[in-house]
Amino acid sequence: MKGAAAAAADQKIGAAAAAAAAAAEHDDTDDADEVWPSSNEELWRDVTPLSTVLDEGPHPVVEIDTSPQFRRAHALLYALLSAGERSQRALDLTREVIHLNNANYTAWHYRRQILEGMEGEWDLADELAFSEEWIFDSPKSYQVWQHRRWLVEKAADPSKELEVCASVLNNDAKNYNAWSHRQWVVRTYGLWAAELAFAEAMLQEDFRNNSAWNHRHYVVSHELRSCSGQEDQISAIRSREISYASSWLALAPHNESAWNYLASWFAEGGERHTAERRPWSEIPNELEDRIASVVASHPRCRFALEVLAKVASARGDGEAACQRWRELADSDPVRRRYWEYMADRERERERERTIALQQTGAGAGSGEG
Amino acid sequence: MSSHRGSSSGRGAGGGAAPPVDDGISTRTSDEQKAIEDICVALFRNFINTDNQVGGTTFIRLHRDRLLPCLMEGLTRLPACMSGLDASRGWFVFWITHSLELLNYQLDDATKRNVVSFLARCQHPDGGFGGGPGQLAHLAPTYACVAALMVIGGEEAYRCVDRGRLYSFLMRVKNVQRGGFDLHEGGESDMRGVYCAIATASMLHLLTDELVDGIPQHIAACQRWDGGIASEPGSESHGGYTYCGLAALTILGQAQHLNLHRLLDWACHRQMSVEGGFQGRTNKLVDSCYSFWLGGILPVVHEALRQCGEYVPPSHYWISPMALQFYVFLCCQDPRGLLRDKPGKPPDFYHTAYALSGTSLSQHGPSGRQEVTGHPDNRLAPTDRFYNVRFDKVRMARDFFAAQPPFTTAEGHKGREGAGVTAYHEMLTLAESSSVGGGGVEDGRVEEIIDSRGTS
């Protein structure tokens, strides 16, 4: 752990991470000789530990071979919890249990209950630092992020959050909890200003990072909501986003995230047409040509073929669409059955179109007669 | 290493040409993807070149003999290194008993009694189940413990659940403001909570209008721009959350709230061309647990579309069962016994349960068509697409709860099973009666009948 703080600073992962790393470093050196509350017999003379946790009897079921400290700390914690105690010793014990198993949601929840009951006797900044240590220790834990949300709400201070998230994402660019926390902070406190740039920076780092594409969509959706139905503004944003996706596709035509992002601005068969989602038949010519050239150089690129199939389908050219679906079935064997199903649906639509056409024709005919 | 990449056809489980992963511009995503593809291809080749000849068998095998002892050992004791999962012990019971069931292993009565008595100790006095004795009630272990009780089966197991208190727990954690359910009182709220609450309530015939009110709209609000479903509005599409949202809505018979075709397209693209398994998110790596979370989406979409009156393929669920089973059997069996996420990762009970569950779903298509890859003994018992409990056990539990006086709240709300589940079983009953000449169905023999329909 020595030097972790310095290393973190070196890698420019942000002051928050450096501080957390420093705290963790500090904590680790303390660890060996830390006297945990459960070992203090005197402190718990009046508490009867939950016996079923200490000893599970002669017929164990999924019994984990936990340490004596683990059992005693948990047995004490659950005893205090059921008695509803709100005290400093209970708070200290939650810290011990969290140290032993940070996925123990009961301990985190109990910790919040105790803190609520001891209003004014604890420092929000200390607790924020505590939660930050745990975020960097276990960034995939649901509990640490939930505790963080609770604290940010309590402090009504989101000022450190974007930086904390950025640091976590610097180590693990697709961390689901960190992105979700960031989005929660952004929408709850209206911190939208720098988010498009953040998503852009993450995409510059790795343009295949789907989490970053999702973030861009999240931010742009907010922008669209603020247009309050102004169709020309919406249409301008939509064009901008289509160009954005296209430019990344020009660079790397097998990046599925960019294809999906592009497709999100088009309505497929059966979907409602809106200013944000226009039918595939309205695809700009230049874009269609570019996709056709992707297929020319990569005849098995399933994403490009799928777009061409949908464009043909939207134009009512069932035959051309079926041709594309068949190419997909031949070149993408894992999804062969899906592409055959798409071809079946295409033929069904074609049949319905023909019937509709005949009926219209018959109607027109009778009108003339 | 890279000489064969992207050029020749027939590389990998999918049997097709691998797409050029990086288009000549590598990023972390493409580097990691290339690495796992190479490892899987090496394992496939290894099977073709070595195992196949030296072992004297041409069959790909699921090594039950290695799995069973690990599962049985785990059902009693787990090593100290699993202390970090002490708040998930109800899950261990489900993962292990469910895996054993899929392998057609029967627990003895004494073990069943011990399991039920342990699960009873996980039940909170105020309703719901915790991750272990003494812990607060939490929706995830509540689902896991109830599902495990369905796996054990029988009146003693079913009566272990305090349904009235469980219902009041569900109402306490329903979070109208956030639209879904908090996982526990004061806990986070996400799509896992929605599924666990709805599936549990449906299994126990506890769904009421007040419990369901607003939930379909919330799930629909979490469907994302690419068709998948996220943990909460705005987050990224994810296989686990997509299964949870879709299954919950389909259990309720309300799948029309989703754009099912975009969802289906997104889900089909998650099967990996080379590795054969599923990834959980776009541009992420294959992971055997998504054999179920993604593989389970497809049969649920199939039934959802049918209930919406749309055409569905009569013989398959769109994806490639063989490619998936290549991945699970050739890349995910750890020599020590259990199944793993991917080569290079340690095996565990979670991945064992979900790799097997997904394999089971992939082996049993609609109309009973079976697609078992490798040795015929690789066939697993069919699992239920909505609850992920063995199909015959679901049927048993349905019969039991249907025969009970309906649960009624103090305000007169009546509990029931999800309308989508009821419609699904009605369809099956109809299909069975037409295939066996209207002779009816014996309890517990449904799977054989479904199987026989496929071959007749």
Side-chain angles (χ1 to χ4, degrees):
Chain A
M1 214 47 214
K2 192 163 166 53
D10 282 353
Q11 290 167 19
K12 298 191 178 67
I13 65 171
E25 200 171 331
H26 186 67
D27 211 39
D28 271 17
T29 36
D30 274 3
D31 225 48
D33 25 68
E34 167 134 19
V35 181
W36 290 104
S38 72
S39 65
N40 183 346
E41 300 284 340
E42 199 57 23
L43 190 58
W44 309 108
R45 270 200 318 196
D46 58 325
V47 181
T48 310
L50 195 65
S51 60
T52 51
V53 173
L54 289 178
D55 178 8
E56 302 202 8
H59 303 295
V61 173
V62 295
E63 184 170 359
I64 303 174
D65 184 20
T66 49
S67 68
Q69 183 205 351
F70 189 104
R71 288 190 181 229
R72 181 167 162 78
H74 283 74
L76 284 168
L77 185 92
Y78 298 149
L80 296 186
L81 174 70
S82 67
E85 180 170 318
R86 310 275 187 271
S87 63
Q88 188 60 46
R89 68 174 182 177
L91 187 66
D92 294 343
L93 192 60
T94 62
R95 182 168 164 270
E96 178 174 358
V97 168
I98 288 165
H99 171 81
L100 292 165
N101 172 18
N102 70 63
N104 188 319
Y105 59 89
T106 302
W108 283 102
H109 176 67
Y110 185 29
R111 185 173 180 88
R112 288 190 288 274
Q113 283 185 319
I114 296 166
L115 292 172
E116 296 270 20
M118 293 171 61
E119 205 72 70
E121 296 171 52
W122 53 284
D123 187 6
L124 260 170
D126 289 348
E127 192 66 12
L128 278 162
F130 175 78
S131 83
E132 205 164 304
E133 272 176 49
W134 279 110
I135 283 173
F136 288 105
D137 181 272
S138 300
K140 289 189 176 179
S141 154
Y142 293 104
Q143 284 71 39
V144 302
W145 290 101
Q146 170 62 11
H147 197 67
R148 188 72 182 182
R149 275 198 201 190
W150 177 79
L151 276 171
V152 171
E153 276 179 340
K154 200 148 197 64
D157 175 15
S159 59
K160 279 191 82 179
E161 299 317 291
L162 298 183
E163 196 186 347
V164 168
C165 290
S167 303
V168 172
L169 294 172
N170 187 71
N171 294 324
D172 176 8
K174 299 174 183 177
N175 181 297
Y176 202 91
N177 292 311
W179 281 109
S180 292
H181 184 71
R182 189 174 187 102
Q183 285 159 356
W184 171 77
V185 168
V186 165
R187 73 170 165 266
T188 306
Y189 298 98
L191 304 175
W192 298 93
E195 288 311 285
L196 203 62
F198 182 74
E200 174 67 23
M202 293 299 287
L203 285 174
Q204 289 294 343
E205 194 65 35
D206 181 350
F207 57 85
R208 298 182 176 93
N209 182 350
N210 196 62
S211 306
W213 282 98
N214 180 67
H215 198 62
R216 182 170 179 102
H217 199 280
Y218 181 69
V219 177
V220 171
S221 297
H222 174 74
E223 196 184 343
L224 285 166
R225 276 194 300 276
S226 67
C227 293
S228 56
Q230 301 274 338
E231 290 220 3
D232 49 339
Q233 282 181 38
I234 294 172
S235 159
I237 292 170
R238 176 176 175 273
S239 299
R240 185 191 73 199
E241 294 308 303
I242 289 173
S243 304
Y244 184 78
S246 310
S247 65
W248 282 112
L249 285 174
L251 188 71
H254 288 89
N255 175 16
E256 185 182 353
S257 295
W259 285 107
N260 289 348
Y261 192 79
L262 177 73
S264 74
W265 303 100
F266 290 91
E268 296 174 7
E271 288 178 1
R272 208 162 51 88
H273 301 171
T274 62
E276 294 157 42
R277 270 191 176 174
R278 305 301 308 153
W280 276 112
S281 51
E282 293 176 20
I283 187 172
N285 287 337
E286 190 208 10
L287 177 58
E288 190 180 358
D289 292 347
R290 274 165 81 173
I291 294 172
S293 76
V294 168
V295 170
S297 47
H298 305 281
R300 289 165 178 268
C301 178
R302 67 181 202 259
F303 314 114
L305 284 170
E306 187 175 358
V307 166
L308 294 183
K310 285 175 177 169
V311 170
S313 178
R315 291 195 176 125
D317 188 348
E319 201 173 319
C322 277
Q323 170 64 27
R324 293 299 186 192
W325 297 126
R326 274 194 301 272
E327 283 171 47
L328 278 159
D330 290 341
S331 61
D332 184 21
V334 162
R335 274 161 286 276
R336 180 177 53 80
R337 294 165 174 181
Y338 176 63
W339 302 125
E340 286 171 351
Y341 160 82
M342 294 301 275
D344 285 349
R345 288 183 68 214
E346 197 68 56
R347 278 190 285 272
E348 184 57 27
R349 271 196 298 271
E350 185 77 348
R351 205 176 60 83
E352 281 165 13
R353 267 197 296 265
T354 315
I355 293 170
L357 218 62
Q358 281 166 353
Q359 282 170 350
T360 329
S366 66
E368 278 165 25
Chain B
M1 279 284 272
S2 60
S3 60
H4 56 261
R5 183 178 303 119
S7 50
S8 63
S9 71
R11 180 188 190 229
V21 171
D22 68 3
D23 287 315
I25 306 170
S26 80
T27 60
R28 187 166 179 164
T29 295
S30 60
D31 289 346
E32 290 174 352
Q33 177 59 29
K34 272 184 184 180
I36 191 68
E37 285 184 8
D38 286 341
I39 291 168
C40 291
V41 168
L43 287 167
F44 297 142
R45 293 203 167 152
N46 193 39
F47 173 77
I48 293 165
N49 298 336
T50 342
D51 295 12
N52 214 3
Q53 287 154 21
V54 176
T57 168
T58 52
F59 285 121
I60 290 173
R61 276 184 186 272
L62 172 65
H63 296 288
R64 286 162 189 270
D65 51 328
R66 294 186 205 153
L67 264 168
L68 288 173
C70 294
L71 292 166
M72 289 309 293
E73 168 73 19
L75 190 55
T76 27
R77 287 182 196 286
L78 299 160
C81 62
M82 299 206 180
S83 301
L85 288 158
D86 180 64
S88 299
R89 289 177 64 199
W91 276 115
F92 278 111
V93 175
F94 171 69
W95 295 331
I96 293 171
T97 56
H98 177 57
S99 297
L100 288 168
E101 283 244 301
L102 294 178
L103 296 164
N104 285 308
Y105 181 89
Q106 296 285 327
L107 291 175
D108 62 61
D109 289 345
T111 307
K112 285 184 183 176
R113 274 196 302 276
N114 293 340
V115 167
V116 172
S117 110
F118 172 72
L119 293 173
R121 276 185 284 137
C122 295
Q123 190 162 215
H124 194 276
D126 298 332
F129 290 77
Q135 301 177 25
L136 291 173
H138 185 295
L139 280 172
T142 294
Y143 160 79
C145 291
V146 170
L149 289 166
M150 302 291 134
V151 169
I152 298 299
E155 198 161 334
E156 195 191 338
Y158 303 146
R159 289 200 189 280
C160 163
V161 184
D162 186 331
R163 290 161 79 212
R165 288 209 167 94
L166 192 144
Y167 181 81
S168 65
F169 165 63
L170 295 179
M171 286 306 295
R172 282 201 303 279
V173 290
K174 190 176 174 196
N175 189 331
V176 182
Q177 189 204 336
R178 289 203 249 179
F181 290 88
D182 295 341
L183 271 294
H184 59 92
E185 287 176 76
E188 71 278 14
S189 170
D190 64 39
M191 202 53 78
R192 289 173 305 147
V194 172
Y195 172 74
C196 291
I198 297 298
T200 304
S202 180
M203 279 193 272
L204 297 169
H205 294 214
L206 291 176
L207 282 172
T208 62
D209 292 342
E210 62 168 359
L211 188 67
V212 172
D213 182 45
I215 297 302
Q217 293 75 12
H218 171 69
I219 298 172
C222 294
Q223 187 169 26
R224 301 294 290 141
W225 49 277
D226 51 6
I229 299 174
S231 63
E232 56 186 313
S235 292
E236 184 185 0
S237 292
H238 181 289
Y241 299 120
T242 304
Y243 174 83
C244 285
L246 170 73
L249 262 184
T250 312
I251 286 171
L252 295 173
Q254 304 269 337
Q256 76 280 2
H257 284 269
L258 291 171
N259 183 337
L260 289 171
H261 286 288
R262 222 175 251 257
L263 192 154
L264 174 63
D265 189 78
W266 176 84
C268 287
H269 278 286
R270 303 281 68 73
Q271 189 169 22
M272 307 305 281
S273 300
V274 173
E275 308 91 300
F278 286 93
Q279 62 186 179
R281 293 185 254 164
T282 305
N283 281 339
K284 289 267 287 175
L285 297 180
V286 66
D287 176 341
S288 71
C289 75
Y290 295 113
S291 306
F292 178 78
W293 301 119
L294 255 306
I297 285 169
L298 301 152
V300 178
V301 169
H302 198 270
E303 178 59 11
L305 286 173
R306 189 194 69 82
Q307 290 185 17
C308 292
E310 284 204 40
Y311 165 79
V312 287
S315 62
H316 65 80
Y317 296 129
W318 298 289
I319 51 105
S320 167
M322 189 167 72
L324 176 65
Q325 291 175 60
F326 279 151
Y327 178 67
V328 171
F329 296 152
L330 293 177
C331 300
C332 297
Q333 296 197 76
D334 187 277
R336 285 163 285 184
L338 300 174
L339 300 169
R340 59 193 176 199
D341 160 349
K342 61 174 71 61
K345 296 269 184 176
D348 59 57
F349 292 104
Y350 165 78
H351 285 90
T352 301
Y354 287 104
L356 292 178
S357 302
T359 300
S360 162
L361 284 175
S362 79
Q363 289 179 339
H364 302 274
S367 330
R369 175 173 164 177
Q370 280 188 45
E371 299 188 58
V372 177
T373 297
H375 195 279
D377 285 355
N378 294 350
R379 179 186 179 278
L380 300 174
T383 191
D384 179 74
R385 66 193 68 186
F386 298 118
Y387 305 143
N388 195 21
V389 168
R390 219 171 95 158
F391 193 76
D392 53 338
K393 292 297 180 67
V394 168
R395 177 66 65 98
M396 251 174 80
R398 288 185 78 232
D399 290 346
F400 174 83
F401 288 108
Q404 303 299 304
F407 165 79
T408 311
T409 68
E411 294 80 27
H413 296 284
K414 277 214 179 350
R416 58 182 184 272
E417 167 186 71
V421 176
T422 308
Y424 171 62
H425 285 271
E426 280 169 359
M427 178 275 290
L428 285 180
T429 308
L430 259 173
E432 283 153 18
S433 62
S434 61
S435 88
V436 297
V441 181
E442 280 175 56
D443 280 355
R445 301 217 44 227
V446 179
E447 70 201 60
E448 283 83 358
I449 289 157
I450 295 177
D451 289 353
S452 69
R453 274 191 297 133
T455 50
S456 61

